[in-house]
Amino acid sequence: MTLVLIVIGAVVGAPLRYLVDRAVQARHETVFPWGTLSVNVAGSAVLGFVAALPVNDGVMALVGTGFCGALTTYSTFGYETVRLLEEGARFHAVANAVASVVAGLGAAYCGLALAQALT
């Protein structure tokens, strides 16, 4: 049953990642990967929120592992950062790495704090 919940979460998270990434990136004419940053920060906030709630293993599998795992993308973050370095956009590469880590951790903390305030 856990595997089914993970798959269901991923079926929703993966297409949402693609759609949000494309929608955000289409609004910015820059080499900076705003779309990937957006989905990673949003996924971190959701995961922080769910992790702080008193939920059962099924909910964590569905939302935490399935949905957030498919919504966020460390591999694309890594690829885009390396691509920026290869293209000589060092400032953008460093900004992407720093912003992704700081904003992701900050979003996870905010999600956690919100969940604690609501429970």
Side-chain angles (χ1 to χ4, degrees), residues 8-58:
I8 291 169
V11 164
V12 175
L16 185 60
R17 175 181 74 210
Y18 176 77
L19 294 172
V20 170
D21 177 56
R22 294 295 87 210
V24 170
Q25 203 60 42
R27 288 171 171 63
H28 299 282
E29 291 190 25
T30 178
V31 296
F32 191 84
W34 289 107
T36 302
L37 178 64
S38 299
V39 295
N40 286 345
V41 170
S44 295
V46 171
L47 186 57
F49 182 81
V50 172
L53 294 176
V55 297
N56 62 37
D57 291 344

Side-chain angles (χ1 to χ4, degrees), residues 93-118:
V94 171
N96 185 43
V98 171
S100 293
V101 171
V102 171
L105 290 173
Y109 177 79
C110 288
L112 184 136
L114 179 61
Q116 289 176 340
L118 296 175

